């Protein structure tokens, strides 16, 4: 690691002032950044600790929820308003990492975390367009079990590893951003970019900007919603496929529906085609199959990750069938 | 500012790159806390930071400035064992012992989380405020601590034993 300076921002204005320069990085819990620094993937010269920035979890004016970017993942999952009103979000956070990591990780850092692609993390041994633009991608012809089947490009097929963000995508989360020019809000589903020719540019956040909060509108899905994660071991592993589903039913037909996938794409994948196909329909096996095909028709399957298509389909069908049954 | 370690104040390191793990082991010579993977994957380096379990390998020591750290040395002594230390001996909760300090620090915080009603991925009713600590719940809640010797059954027995004593 190169020498680094460290300072704690006392306010958002303070952080914006300190973090503008070349080589500066915001430090949340450090669970991702400290590891990347140790591996030489990221080489900042200045760390600005943003964990003293707002971390409240409160009811918003519209009846929804506002979560400060410095809130720890464990605090969000344990909060009564989240457990009762957004159980899918609590379950997604609890599906991630370990209790130790969740105690450290912040909401802002979670949204901004980098991919777990092994080649991205292997500075000495691998080519990676995300780390060194134009150098090539060793995952496409290599070990790609954890890689994307939707939304990838010829340059990069890395997945976004967050569980929390999959639930935020399904719940219509909004990312609140502060910058030198003022504040702006971006829907979570538009916050992460697809790789295209520039996999090194991962979000719409400018380097001079900071994530300050996430808001969620009131959710109709508290009663019928779920987050299911399929992985290589029962706990403490990243997703092969994960699915967030929220449903409301009217006389055995789908009224409102929200579906998002993790583990299959470079960003949390909101499945609008599945939602459109199922709104107003009854949840028969053939309706679910047709809806799934509409979303996954252009999936790119590689030898290492082709199994994800079937796995995603079976996981989604099982969840819809369970949630669509008589209300608990 | 200072970092409080097991009740005693120490200055934070001058070099911001020093991890909390290296500060504890190399500078304060508290070698009870172990280095496993040094990348967040094993839990051997688990300590309590302001009473919550964290990984000292992914914490920079400067991040602990103004906060309080408890390591295995601060939980019990050879003369006065912590209840979990006694239970780990009683139930053969280790073989080589390398993962044990991390397991015991993690389990200490885990029992507090359960007492506070915090749910896990396996908790069926997320809105309920009382947790029933089954074997499966202990497995899930302790999944951040690996044991290469495979002493898991003894570890779970030891934790359930101590949890039982805490039950009202
Ligand atoms: C062993 C292990 C297993 C894991 N397993 C999972 C898993 O199964 N599922 C899962 O979802 N995650 C998993 N994670 C990842 C974990 O969720 C992330 O590392 C964590 O959420 C990052 O949060 P942080 O606060 O520690 O971020 P940091 O490491 O502090 O920062 C990460 C990035 O975000 C930037 N940043 C931080 N705060 C802000 C802000 N306010 N505004 C803008 N940028 C900011 C930083 O500059 C940095 O680039 C795992 C991590 C580990 C170590
Ligand atoms: S998939 Fe993306 S992150 Fe992984 S090696 Fe290829 S370019 Fe790099
Ligand atoms: S040494 Fe910290 S988690 Fe392995
Ligand atoms: S007792 Fe040897 S690693 Fe756990």
């Amino acid at each position: 690691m190169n020498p680094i300076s460290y300072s704690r921002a006392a306010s958002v204005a303070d952080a914006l002032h300190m973090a503008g320069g070349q080589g500066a990085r915001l430090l949340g819990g450090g669970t991702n950044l400290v590891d990347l620094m140790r591996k030489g993937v990221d080489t900042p010269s200045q760390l600005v600790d943003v964990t003293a920035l707002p971390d409240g979890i409160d009811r918003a004016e519209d009846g929804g929820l506002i979560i400060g970017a410095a809130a720890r993942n464990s605090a969000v999952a344990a909060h009564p308003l989240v457990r009762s009103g957004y159980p899918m979000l609590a379950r997604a956070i609890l599906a991630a990492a370990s209790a130790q990591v969740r105690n450290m990780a912040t909401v802002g850092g979670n949204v901004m975390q980098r991919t777990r692609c092994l080649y991205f993390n292997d500075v000495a041994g691998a080519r990676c367009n995300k780390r060194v633009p134009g150098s090539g991608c060793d995952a496409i012809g290599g070990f790609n079990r954890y890689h994307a089947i939707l939304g990838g490009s010829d340059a990069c097929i890395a997945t976004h590893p967050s569980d929390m963000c999959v639930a935020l995508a399904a719940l219509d989360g909004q990312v609140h951003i502060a910058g030198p020019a003022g504040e702006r809000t971006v829907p979570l589903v538009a916050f992460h970019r697809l790789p295209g020719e520039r996999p090194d540019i991962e979000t719409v956040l400018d380097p001079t900007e900071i994530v300050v909060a996430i808001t969620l509108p009131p959710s109709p899905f508290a009663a019928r919603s779920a987050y299911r994660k399929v992985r290589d071991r029962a706990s403490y592993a990243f997703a092969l496929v994960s699915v967030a589903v929220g449903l409301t039913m009217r006389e055995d037909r789908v009224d409102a529906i929200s579906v998002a996938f993790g583990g299959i794409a470079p960003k949390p994948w909101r499945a609008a085609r599945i939602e459109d196909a199922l709104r107003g329909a009854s949840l028969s096996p053939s309706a679910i199959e047709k809806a799934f095909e509409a979303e996954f028709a252009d999936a790119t399957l590689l030898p290492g990750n082709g199994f994800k298509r079937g796995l995603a389909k079976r996981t989604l069908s099982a969840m819809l069938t369970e949630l669509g049954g008589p209300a608990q | 500012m200072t970092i409080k370690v097991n009740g005693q104040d120490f200055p934070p390191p001058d070099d911001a790159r020093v991890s909390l793990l290296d500060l504890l082991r190399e500078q304060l010579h508290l070698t009870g806390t172990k280095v496993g993977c040094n990348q967040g994957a094993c839990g051997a380096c688990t300590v309590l930071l302001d009473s919550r379990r964290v990984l000292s390998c992914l914490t920079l020591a400067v991040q602990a400035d103004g906060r309080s750290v408890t390591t295995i040395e601060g939980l019990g002594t050879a003369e006065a064992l912590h209840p979990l230390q006694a239970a780990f001996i009683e139930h053969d909760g280790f073989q080589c012992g390398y993962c044990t300090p991390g397991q015991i620090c993690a389990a200490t915080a885990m029992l507090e989380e359960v007492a506070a009603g915090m749910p896990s991925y396996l908790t069926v009713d997320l809105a309920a405020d009382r947790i029933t600590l089954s074997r499966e719940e202990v497995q899930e809640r302790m999944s951040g601590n690996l044991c290469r010797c495979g002493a898991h059954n003894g570890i779970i027995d030891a934790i359930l034993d101590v949890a039982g004593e805490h039950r009202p």
Side-chain angles (χ1 to χ4, degrees):
Chain A
M1 264 193 243
N2 299 321
I4 40 169
S5 68
Y6 169 89
S7 48
R8 261 183 221 179
S11 65
V12 171
D14 208 14
L16 287 173
H17 179 71
M18 292 195 261
Q22 193 81 24
R25 296 284 182 286
L26 304 177
L27 180 67
T31 59
N32 191 204
L33 185 54
V34 171
D35 188 36
L36 292 176
M37 282 162 45
R38 198 169 281 151
K39 291 178 172 138
V41 178
D42 200 357
T43 51
S45 53
Q46 184 197 352
L47 296 179
V48 178
D49 188 329
V50 288
T51 54
L53 268 41
D55 66 352
I57 303 166
D58 298 292
R59 177 103 52 207
E61 272 165 36
D62 65 353
L65 201 66
I66 176 157
I67 304 171
R72 307 286 174 171
N73 288 0
S74 52
V76 180
H79 199 280
L81 288 176
V82 176
R83 283 154 69 179
S84 58
Y86 306 87
M88 170 208 292
L89 175 60
R91 186 82 66 195
I93 293 173
L94 293 168
S98 65
Q100 287 95 317
V101 175
R102 295 192 295 270
N103 274 340
M104 301 166 73
T106 61
V107 166
N110 190 316
V111 172
M112 290 296 291
Q113 65 174 294
R114 316 290 303 273
T115 185
R116 308 305 286 205
C117 173
L118 292 174
Y119 304 106
F120 173 71
N121 283 283
D122 181 2
V123 171
R127 296 176 309 157
C128 168
N129 287 323
K130 190 188 275 301
R131 191 164 29 76
V132 183
S135 64
C137 168
D138 276 344
I140 289 174
F143 178 78
N144 44 46
R145 180 173 177 78
Y146 292 97
H147 290 72
I149 61 172
L150 289 177
S153 70
D154 291 342
C156 178
I157 53 168
T159 49
H160 191 263
S162 171
D163 289 290
M164 181 188 83
C165 287
V166 179
L168 293 179
L171 292 165
D172 293 316
Q174 302 278 328
V175 184
H176 294 251
I177 296 169
E183 297 217 6
R184 63 187 181 117
T185 305
V186 177
L188 184 105
V189 291
F191 182 78
H192 300 95
R193 289 177 73 257
L194 291 179
E197 297 293 309
R198 292 298 303 273
D200 54 315
I201 307 174
E202 295 170 349
T203 69
V204 301
L205 195 77
D206 187 82
T208 59
E209 292 179 312
I210 300 180
V211 175
V212 290
I214 302 286
T215 52
L216 296 174
S219 167
F221 301 127
R224 288 184 204 252
S225 73
Y227 183 80
R228 191 174 292 180
K229 179 174 180 182
V230 187
R231 39 191 156 168
D232 277 329
R233 60 182 182 197
S235 187
Y236 205 17
F238 287 93
L240 291 167
V241 166
S242 70
V243 191
V245 178
L247 261 187
T248 63
M249 303 290 288
R250 183 178 291 166
E251 288 160 9
D252 290 339
R253 285 179 182 275
V254 174
D255 188 16
I257 179 166
S258 180
V259 178
F261 289 90
I264 57 151
K267 58 185 277 185
W269 194 264
R270 180 79 184 255
R273 291 184 202 171
I274 292 180
E275 295 170 5
D276 291 344
L278 289 178
R279 214 169 282 117
S282 70
L283 287 171
S284 65
S286 64
I288 295 174
E289 163 106 28
K290 232 174 102 194
F292 181 87
E293 294 305 329
E295 189 76 50
F296 283 77
D298 23 306
T300 305
L301 309 182
L302 295 169
N305 68 9
F307 72 96
K308 286 187 179 180
R309 192 181 195 282
L311 187 59
K313 179 150 89 181
R314 293 190 299 278
T315 310
L316 177 71
S317 331
M319 291 172 75
L320 285 173
T321 311
E322 219 170 279
L323 290 173
Q328 319 279 296
Chain B
M1 292 277 259
T2 53
I3 305 176
K4 202 183 266 312
V5 180
N6 300 331
Q8 228 187 307
D9 287 336
F10 296 95
D14 295 330
D15 189 337
R17 293 171 293 184
V18 174
S19 68
L20 178 58
L21 175 61
D22 285 344
L23 176 84
L24 292 171
R25 288 183 56 87
E26 310 293 333
Q27 301 188 16
L28 307 184
H29 307 294
L30 291 168
T31 51
T33 306
K34 298 294 185 257
V35 198
C37 63
N38 213 26
Q39 54 178 6
C42 75
C45 65
T46 302
V47 298
L48 306 178
L49 184 59
D50 289 342
S51 305
R52 289 190 310 187
R53 45 177 166 166
V54 300
L55 301 175
S56 60
C57 72
L58 292 185
T59 304
L60 297 175
V62 286
Q63 289 176 285
D65 200 2
R67 302 169 76 182
S68 145
V69 180
T70 306
T71 68
I72 189 71
E73 290 92 343
L75 280 182
T77 62
E79 295 74 40
L81 293 176
H82 184 278
L84 277 163
Q85 290 175 317
F88 268 61
I89 295 171
E90 163 90 16
H91 292 279
D92 289 330
F94 49 81
Q95 284 182 39
C96 77
Y98 199 79
C99 71
T100 313
Q103 300 277 3
I104 289 179
C105 285
T108 302
M110 187 272 266
L111 291 175
E112 301 272 329
E113 292 159 16
V114 170
M118 288 170 70
S120 84
Y121 181 63
L122 290 188
T123 308
V124 177
D125 180 5
L126 288 174
D129 47 26
R130 269 187 73 97
I131 305 293
T132 313
L133 199 59
S134 64
R135 234 185 144 72
E136 291 70 29
E137 277 275 5
V138 175
Q139 280 170 344
E140 167 60 26
R141 288 167 188 270
M142 291 295 293
S143 71
N145 292 80
L146 309 189
C147 173
R148 289 190 306 180
C149 297
H152 302 93
N153 286 328
I155 293 169
I156 296 164
D157 290 341
I159 293 172
L160 283 171
D161 193 353
V162 174
E165 281 168 28
H166 284 191
R167 222 167 267 157

